[in-house]
Amino acid sequence: MPSIQPPIAKKQPHLHKNHGINRVDNYHWMRDDKREAPEVLAHLTAENDYHQAKFAPFKSLQTSLFEELVGRLDKDESSAPYYWHNHWYMSRYQQGGEYPIISRKPQLADEEQILLDVNLRAMGHEFFGLGGFSVSPDESLLAFSEDTLSRRIYTIEIKDLNTGQMLADKLEGTDGSLVWASDNLHLFYIAKDPQTLLGYQVFRHQLGQPQSQDVLVYEEQDDSFYLSLSKTLDETLILLHHDSTETTAVSLLDSHQPLGQFMPLLEREQGHEYSIAKRGEQLYILTNWEAVNFRLMTVSRSQAHDKESWQEVIGAKSGRRIEDVLLLSDYLVVQSRQSGLSQIEVRPFNGEAHYQLAFDDPAYVVGFDVNPSQHSRQLRIFYSSPTTPESIYQYDLSQPSTKVLLKQENVLGDFNRDNYRSERLFINARDGQAVPVTLVYRIDRFKKDGTNPLYQYGYGAYGYTIDADFDSAVISLLDRGFVYAIAHVRGGEMLGRPWYDDGRLLNKQNSFNDFIDVTHALVNQGYADQHKVVAAGGSAGGLLMGGVINQNANSYFAVAAHVPFVDIVTTMLDESLPLTTNEYDEWGNPNEAEAFNYMLSYSPYDQVKAQDYPHILVTTGLHDSQVQYFEPAKWVAKLRELKTDRNLLLFQTDMDAGHGGKSGRYRHYQDTAQEYAFFIGLLEQS
């Protein structure tokens, strides 16, 4: 390997004093909110140069892996068209295009009308992100949002679909979402605070008026809440959602009266989470009121403000989490999760028997696809499993046993699902809790004798469930003999709301314990060679990786941490940063001594110590809006200072990207190929 030495960051002590504890941060100087400081950029460039030099032996492998990964993609992939108002809407890719083309047809046999060629919008930009896009109710206008910096700050533009011309309207500084009023003249959007990047103001825009004339219709005073906008399926109500970690609220506006005001359905109540759907004058409310795993209630709209008037439709059940509801004119369709597996139940309103849709794989993901009309008697779902490419099925709800496959992801090459097998295990953690684990491997490469390499992935935060879906990239690992495992650790919601609560706040250590205990069990049960275990996670999953290798470094050969949230205590003490005040209910408020001490006990940055660490690959984006670049930069500097091994520690900053990495259908596979090459190349050398 080249003799280039790793960059040694200067140490410039910065003292943090909290709750009688002094923390000296030698690398605090790396924070530059403007991203212009010469010494910071020079250090990141030096790390990139070191990464490039040390990664050189794996570069050809990365190139071949990238070609392998994109070679499985159908270059002309298209979506399953759906009918809305008077057109069939669809998206498609074309040869050589990184971005989709969005189009429509009056009839499927007609020539398409291109609404938006995202490739043309992205031309000339190193990064391009398409946010929301929405066709006006009369189908004459298209509003869409775009981000060219990767800070998740979007500009909304509007296209006349009759003439093909762009309107002069341009709405800047938004979160990317938008909703049309029924008059086709007004639309609503959310403006972001430029410092905290929180969407905190809702504006009403009238076509033809400058943004400076837009009317502020709502401003969030509590910065622990996120805002979002949507419409009921019957398009009569615009919904303003107020969401924090453990409290939600909904405000309503008649879509036909855009000059009115959003009115709260209920007064906010700490710990009450709910969402609504509408059928005629009845509201259906999915709520955790007196139901940890949620129940479904109904009430007339006029009485919705009085919870005592709500009537139970589906009661709470231990071990079953009701996750979503689709409310059609003739059917109530409910998505729930039981023992970690999603289920879809159909309940006809005409009194006929309820029934569930059946799925065969031992692990899978299923959910509602685009169902744009409340009057439809058909249901579209998406379905995927570790061995089944994403599929769109359509069910005739009046005939429970009939379904039609509308579309399945086309995997090019010699992929044959029969060559692979998935398993679903429950592994006992050290406290006796059974942790769900999804496995997939190639049958003829798997021996279960403790010789296979293991790739283990985890996240474990925000109640976000990492589902057991299909990822064509993973085939490159399976074909090389890897067992691929998802550890559904506490902090996610795989086993319902209690599973989430048991992995946050003062229970966060359970997430790290679960991940480590899954690794040990898979090794002990013969699924993996103890010397060939690699692990990966991103964002809050990067925090998971940082905690795991501080606490149990010798169980892992190599680890990848992408845009990792590792300086949790310092970040959560700084209210000017994103991921702070609105995340106190997730991590804790370190202004309180108990929360501070607990967070400090596992903070990956604060707990780096003099010990051997595995090989580590760390990636970030200079313009990351969620986890600021200086968190991983500081973490890597401290690791370089203290670690006692000679294993590789590589840090790459994409100077053009943000939290999601590279944009484009193919380009983001460069990052995947890099991670895989890092793991595979090192294992081949060992």
Side-chain angles (χ1 to χ4, degrees):
M1 287 189 175
S3 60
I4 183 173
Q5 296 301 306
I8 303 301
K10 71 175 184 178
K11 295 169 69 173
Q12 185 173 312
H14 179 91
L15 182 62
H16 297 283
K17 296 182 178 181
N18 309 93
H19 306 293
I21 296 176
N22 293 336
R23 292 183 301 132
V24 177
D25 185 351
N26 290 319
Y27 306 109
H28 183 80
W29 63 269
M30 291 185 181
R31 175 175 175 175
D32 171 32
D33 291 348
K34 293 185 178 180
R35 293 158 171 76
E36 297 173 350
E39 63 179 353
V40 173
L41 295 178
H43 178 73
L44 296 179
T45 300
E47 283 283 8
N48 281 349
D49 291 343
Y50 178 73
H51 169 274
Q52 184 174 4
K54 286 295 188 179
F55 197 80
F58 311 132
K59 196 64 181 177
S60 61
L61 177 58
Q62 179 186 2
T63 300
S64 63
L65 279 166
F66 175 74
E67 293 173 352
E68 192 175 301
L69 298 180
V70 300
R72 295 193 186 98
L73 304 179
D74 185 345
K75 308 308 183 289
D76 299 309
E77 186 73 54
S78 61
S79 66
Y82 65 88
Y83 194 75
W84 182 73
H85 289 202
N86 296 300
H87 289 85
W88 289 93
Y89 287 84
M90 63 210 74
S91 64
R92 62 177 175 84
Y93 289 91
Q94 63 181 12
Q95 287 277 349
E98 287 276 2
Y99 301 94
I101 296 169
I102 301 166
S103 63
R104 70 181 181 187
K105 302 176 179 181
Q107 301 295 331
L108 286 175
D110 293 342
E111 184 177 348
E112 71 173 354
Q113 176 192 6
I114 294 178
L115 308 184
L116 192 68
D117 186 337
V118 184
N119 298 285
L120 298 180
R121 300 295 304 182
M123 193 173 294
H125 298 290
E126 183 63 28
F127 176 90
F128 184 89
L130 180 66
F133 64 91
S134 179
V135 176
S136 61
D138 66 0
E139 299 184 283
S140 67
L141 299 166
L142 172 70
F144 62 93
S145 58
E146 53 192 21
D147 168 21
T148 58
L149 188 59
S150 193
R151 289 285 283 170
R152 298 188 181 180
I153 300 177
Y154 294 84
T155 297
I156 295 173
E157 299 206 41
I158 302 169
K159 180 180 180 180
D160 186 323
L161 297 180
N162 293 322
T163 67
Q165 300 300 308
M166 299 297 298
L167 303 187
D169 304 67
K170 185 173 290 191
L171 311 176
E172 299 179 325
T174 85
D175 76 344
S177 62
L178 56 108
V179 171
W180 286 97
S182 296
D183 64 359
N184 306 290
L185 179 64
H186 294 92
L187 59 84
F188 294 84
Y189 65 91
I190 297 171
K192 278 194 167 185
D193 183 302
Q195 176 64 35
T196 66
L197 301 184
L198 292 174
Y200 73 115
Q201 294 176 318
V202 181
F203 283 92
R204 181 180 67 238
H205 174 72
Q206 180 176 322
L207 295 186
Q209 298 292 323
Q211 187 176 10
S212 61
Q213 298 299 309
D214 289 354
V215 177
L216 177 65
V217 296
Y218 180 82
E219 182 167 355
E220 181 57 62
Q221 301 298 321
D222 186 339
D223 56 10
S224 67
F225 281 82
Y226 292 98
L227 300 180
S228 59
L229 292 165
S230 70
K231 247 183 182 179
T232 52
L233 190 57
D234 66 2
E235 303 181 41
T236 62
L237 292 178
I238 298 174
L239 306 181
L240 171 58
H241 307 272
H242 318 256
D243 295 300
S244 71
T245 301
E246 56 181 20
T247 303
T248 65
V250 179
S251 298
L252 315 176
L253 174 66
D254 188 330
S255 180
H256 297 281
Q257 302 293 331
L259 302 185
Q261 295 295 316
F262 283 94
M263 301 301 294
L265 182 74
L266 294 170
E267 293 298 320
R268 288 186 192 176
E269 179 183 342
Q270 180 66 26
H272 185 202
E273 299 176 65
Y274 68 93
S275 59
I276 70 169
K278 180 175 177 289
R279 176 177 178 258
E281 289 304 306
Q282 286 290 114
L283 297 182
Y284 283 71
I285 303 171
L286 185 58
T287 174
N288 71 342
W289 175 42
E290 299 180 349
V292 172
N293 273 326
F294 289 75
R295 57 178 171 160
L296 186 64
M297 315 287 279
T298 188
V299 66
S300 66
R301 184 180 169 190
S302 62
Q303 295 180 297
H305 62 281
D306 177 14
K307 287 197 300 183
E308 298 302 327
S309 298
W310 297 3
Q311 297 178 338
E312 189 172 272
V313 179
I314 303 177
K317 181 180 178 182
S318 177
R320 180 195 64 192
R321 166 71 157 92
I322 303 177
E323 295 184 320
D324 201 1
V325 171
L326 178 65
L327 195 57
L328 303 177
S329 298
D330 298 323
Y331 299 92
L332 168 62
V333 191
V334 180
Q335 179 183 327
S336 61
R337 189 184 297 268
Q338 192 158 354
S339 299
L341 287 179
S342 292
Q343 301 171 342
I344 291 182
E345 180 184 24
V346 179
R347 293 176 165 240
F349 283 119
N350 64 5
E352 293 179 1
H354 307 166
Y355 61 89
Q356 284 190 347
L357 307 185
F359 311 106
D360 297 328
D361 289 296
Y364 60 84
V365 56
V366 65
F368 300 137
D369 192 50
V370 180
N371 291 279
S373 172
Q374 191 164 50
H375 302 296
S376 177
R377 298 178 63 84
Q378 297 176 323
L379 170 71
R380 285 194 183 191
I381 66 164
F382 63 85
Y383 177 86
S384 175
S385 80
T387 59
T388 308
E390 181 166 307
S391 308
I392 307 299
Y393 288 100
Q394 182 165 284
Y395 289 79
D396 183 338
L397 295 178
S398 64
Q399 302 179 49
S401 62
T402 63
K403 66 178 180 180
V404 177
L405 177 63
L406 298 180
K407 177 70 182 177
Q408 186 172 79
E409 177 187 351
N410 188 20
V411 182
L412 303 183
D414 59 358
F415 170 74
N416 181 344
R417 63 163 296 175
D418 294 334
N419 292 334
Y420 306 90
R421 177 179 297 139
S422 64
E423 293 186 32
R424 188 164 172 268
L425 308 179
F426 282 87
I427 288 175
N428 286 334
R430 64 195 69 180
D431 63 355
Q433 289 289 335
V435 181
V437 180
T438 300
L439 298 174
V440 61
Y441 47 81
R442 180 163 175 140
I443 297 170
D444 61 0
R445 300 291 178 88
F446 177 62
K447 303 179 178 64
K448 204 176 182 179
D449 61 356
T451 61
N452 286 85
L454 170 69
Y455 178 111
Q456 185 172 317
Y457 178 81
Y459 187 73
Y462 304 109
Y464 182 73
T465 298
I466 304 297
D467 277 307
D469 62 358
F470 181 82
D471 183 352
S472 66
V474 171
I475 298 170
S476 291
L477 296 175
L478 308 184
D479 287 354
R480 288 171 172 82
F482 279 80
V483 174
Y484 182 91
I486 304 172
H488 304 286
V489 302
R490 279 172 278 187
E493 213 168 65
M494 174 63 79
L495 297 182
R497 182 58 185 250
W499 197 247
Y500 169 41
D501 291 335
D502 214 17
R504 67 182 181 103
L505 297 175
L506 300 179
N507 296 317
K508 186 59 196 172
Q509 182 59 39
N510 287 331
S511 301
F512 308 114
N513 293 347
D514 288 353
F515 194 89
I516 294 166
D517 293 347
V518 165
T519 301
H520 292 166
L522 292 177
V523 169
N524 292 337
Q525 293 180 29
Y527 285 97
D529 184 329
Q530 63 177 333
H531 302 296
K532 297 180 180 180
V533 179
V534 302
S539 194
L543 181 149
L544 179 66
M545 294 299 103
V548 162
I549 61 175
N550 280 338
Q551 298 175 25
N552 202 264
N554 60 4
S555 293
Y556 301 91
F557 174 76
V559 165
H562 305 296
V563 294
F565 180 34
V566 285
D567 192 13
I568 182 171
V569 175
T570 303
T571 291
M572 295 302 293
L573 283 165
D574 188 344
E575 296 184 5
S576 70
L577 290 172
L579 295 181
T580 300
T581 55
N582 59 339
E583 306 240 335
Y584 285 159
D585 290 333
E586 177 70 30
W587 310 105
N589 181 351
N591 294 297
E592 301 169 357
E594 183 182 28
F596 173 86
N597 290 324
Y598 188 80
M599 293 162 70
L600 187 62
S601 73
Y602 68 78
S603 168
Y605 180 62
D606 292 286
Q607 295 303 323
V608 171
K609 52 184 176 287
Q611 66 171 9
D612 286 358
Y613 281 89
H615 299 283
I616 305 172
L617 171 65
V618 183
T619 63
T620 192
L622 182 63
H623 300 287
D624 195 326
S625 61
Q626 304 302 106
V627 179
Q628 308 298 307
Y629 75 89
F630 44 81
E631 289 201 35
K634 290 166 52 179
W635 184 47
V636 168
K638 191 171 183 180
L639 282 166
R640 290 205 190 286
E641 174 192 352
L642 294 178
K643 77 188 190 78
T644 55
D645 59 84
R646 301 185 66 181
N647 289 331
L648 277 182
L649 171 57
L650 301 184
F651 177 41
Q652 182 183 50
T653 302
D654 189 322
M655 307 304 273
D656 298 301
H659 198 61
K662 293 181 175 64
S663 64
R665 187 186 186 206
Y666 303 106
R667 292 178 64 208
H668 82 271
Y669 280 103
Q670 294 173 7
D671 296 333
T672 306
Q674 175 180 251
E675 181 199 277
Y676 287 6
F678 180 73
F679 289 152
I680 295 169
L682 285 169
L683 283 168
E684 289 176 346
Q685 291 179 356
S686 65

